[in-house]
Amino acid sequence: MSKTSQPKRKTERSLKHNHDACIQTALARAEVRCAQEGERFTGLRRQVLELVWSEHKPAKAYHLLKKLSDIRSGVAPTTVYRTLDFLQERGLVHKIESLNAYVGCSQPNAEHSGHFLICENCSEIREIENSKISAWLERAAQDEEFKIKTETVELLGLCIRCQPA
Amino acid sequence: MSKTSQPKRKTERSLKHNHDACIQTALARAEVRCAQEGERFTGLRRQVLELVWSEHKPAKAYHLLKKLSDIRSGVAPTTVYRTLDFLQERGLVHKIESLNAYVGCSQPNAEHSGHFLICENCSEIREIENSKISAWLERAAQDEEFKIKTETVELLGLCIRCQPA
DNA sequence: GTTAGAGTGATATATTATAACTAATAACGC
DNA sequence: GCGTTATTAGTTATAATATATCACTCTAAC
Ligand SMILES: [Zn+2]
Ligand SMILES: [Zn+2]
Ligand SMILES: [Zn+2]
Ligand SMILES: [Zn+2]
């Protein structure tokens, strides 16, 4: 496969993406974030977050459990769920409700619910930074005089690479 | 409780709503729908759908299982999940992913993913018929050249009756 | 170094969901 | 009606996801 013959599209993550750097960025941001809030970013928390970030795909809790067992002892479901809870509360990971799985948050600074595009073919997941979405949904909710607290928006379909030509 | 002294707001379902009629409508529509598609609307399917519709609240599978056991014998998890799958495939119920629960579809004619407002206080759930939402989400997805197949939109918050004055 | 609180380990159990096989029932062609 | 076939439902077992509880350990603060 000749790289030069391919147009460089932003969705083709594999062509442009140094994922090690991506993970390191996430870990560094988490460290800062925890420090700011007076929370400890312990070894366990770092390991779990790193595992969650190991791919741009939703990570299942019991898969994390297995991976974590390879690098630590005394790991039980509680360990993983407790740590994921901690990371969620700090906005460092999101739970994908329709998959019972977890992904690292790509914009952990702003307070937000994540909105996701999930490819049903390759499982790649992408958090959308479209600030209009929340505004739209709030407008729709206002028609019913409903006050939104948490938005679950998970759009399952095909990413550009997996769409038939 | 004086009915006349209350303002009639559309969100105050209990004041305007004859829920028996609501259930009957849902069952009748399901019957028609199944007939159209050459599917059998059996006693089991009718009972499960009726239980799902028994309140405007998400129904958990194992709660349905318990209720169903009261009116039938030989009921196991499989029974419930199989029937819910059937009903979902025909667009008669939706699964609420963030709650692992099920609700009757209030517009089973149009092909659609449901969009929901869920009150975290009273659990009332309402399916929004805002056709703009899908259009908006598709626009947002198009920015990423993503093709949506299924939308999970579950907005958790407070219904008007549960909002502090 | 003591202590209080946070973090983690360990064990048990609850909740949600599926697999695989069998029996009953309905639909269909004759 | 009668045998054939496909659909529906029953049965049993187990997998996958998640929480509760209590005990022990570490750390930061004093
Ligand atoms: Zn990355
Ligand atoms: Zn894909
Ligand atoms: Zn109703
Ligand atoms: Zn409410």
Side-chain angles (χ1 to χ4, degrees):
Chain A
M1 180 167 53
S2 156
K3 232 171 176 174
T4 52
S5 69
Q6 300 285 335
K8 192 176 171 206
R9 288 177 289 197
K10 70 172 174 177
T11 43
E12 294 197 339
R13 178 166 273 140
S14 58
L15 293 180
K16 64 152 197 175
H17 186 70
N18 177 349
H19 191 53
D20 281 348
C22 180
I23 295 172
Q24 293 314 314
T25 302
L27 293 175
R29 279 200 296 216
E31 197 157 350
V32 170
R33 181 85 195 251
C34 286
Q36 284 170 344
E37 302 190 2
E39 301 283 359
R40 289 167 53 202
F41 191 54
T42 63
L44 175 62
R45 289 165 180 174
R46 168 179 294 271
Q47 287 173 330
V48 170
L49 186 58
E50 182 165 2
L51 288 172
V52 167
W53 270 101
S54 68
E55 292 185 87
H56 286 279
K57 298 183 179 175
K60 309 280 279 182
Y62 276 73
H63 176 74
L64 294 171
L65 171 55
K66 195 140 45 79
K67 290 291 182 187
L68 194 59
S69 300
D70 293 342
I71 55 178
R72 276 183 92 86
S73 63
V75 177
T78 321
T79 315
V80 172
Y81 284 105
R82 226 169 7 202
T83 308
L84 288 170
D85 284 349
F86 172 89
L87 296 171
Q88 277 181 91
E89 280 160 15
R90 271 82 207 163
L92 299 169
V93 309
H94 293 287
K95 179 173 186 188
I96 307 303
E97 299 288 354
S98 57
L99 299 174
N100 295 320
Y102 303 81
V103 291
C105 173
S106 54
Q107 52 241 259
N109 299 307
E111 203 58 43
H112 68 287
S113 303
H115 304 143
F116 299 95
L117 303 177
I118 308 160
C119 180
E120 65 185 8
N121 183 249
C122 71
S123 297
E124 183 177 291
I125 185 164
R126 181 180 282 270
E127 186 171 353
I128 328 180
E129 304 189 38
N130 191 326
S131 61
K132 281 182 239 165
I133 291 178
S134 288
W136 290 335
L137 293 176
E138 267 167 39
R139 258 186 49 203
Q142 264 169 23
D143 293 349
E144 311 276 348
E145 304 179 78
F146 185 93
K147 176 88 190 319
I148 296 174
K149 295 259 200 77
T150 309
E151 298 166 9
T152 298
V153 176
E154 300 169 6
L155 308 176
L156 190 70
L158 291 175
C159 78
I160 184 169
R161 278 176 293 167
C162 294
Q163 287 169 31
Chain B
M1 180 167 52
S2 158
K3 233 173 176 176
T4 52
S5 69
Q6 299 285 336
K8 194 178 171 201
R9 286 178 291 200
K10 69 171 174 178
T11 43
E12 294 196 339
R13 178 166 276 140
S14 57
L15 292 181
K16 64 153 194 172
H17 186 68
N18 176 351
H19 191 53
D20 280 347
C22 181
I23 294 174
Q24 293 313 315
T25 302
L27 293 175
R29 279 200 296 216
E31 198 157 346
V32 170
R33 182 83 195 249
C34 287
Q36 284 170 344
E37 302 190 4
E39 301 283 359
R40 289 167 52 203
F41 192 54
T42 63
L44 175 62
R45 289 166 181 173
R46 170 179 293 271
Q47 286 173 331
V48 170
L49 186 58
E50 182 165 1
L51 288 172
V52 167
W53 270 103
S54 68
E55 292 185 87
H56 287 278
K57 296 183 180 174
K60 310 279 279 182
Y62 275 74
H63 177 73
L64 295 171
L65 170 55
K66 196 140 44 79
K67 289 293 181 185
L68 194 59
S69 300
D70 293 343
I71 55 176
R72 276 184 91 86
S73 64
V75 178
T78 321
T79 315
V80 172
Y81 283 105
R82 230 175 357 206
T83 308
L84 287 171
D85 285 349
F86 171 88
L87 296 171
Q88 277 182 92
E89 281 160 14
R90 271 81 207 166
L92 298 170
V93 309
H94 294 288
K95 179 174 185 188
I96 306 303
E97 299 288 355
S98 59
L99 299 174
N100 295 320
Y102 303 81
V103 291
C105 173
S106 54
Q107 51 243 257
N109 299 307
E111 204 57 42
H112 68 287
S113 304
H115 304 143
F116 299 94
L117 303 177
I118 307 160
C119 180
E120 66 186 8
N121 183 248
C122 71
S123 298
E124 182 176 290
I125 185 164
R126 180 181 283 270
E127 185 170 354
I128 327 181
E129 304 189 39
N130 191 327
S131 61
K132 282 183 236 163
I133 291 178
S134 288
W136 290 334
L137 294 176
E138 266 167 39
R139 260 185 50 201
Q142 263 169 24
D143 293 349
E144 310 277 348
E145 304 179 78
F146 184 92
K147 178 89 189 320
I148 297 174
K149 295 259 200 78
T150 309
E151 298 167 7
T152 299
V153 176
E154 299 169 6
L155 308 176
L156 190 69
L158 291 176
C159 78
I160 183 170
R161 278 176 291 167
C162 294
Q163 287 169 32

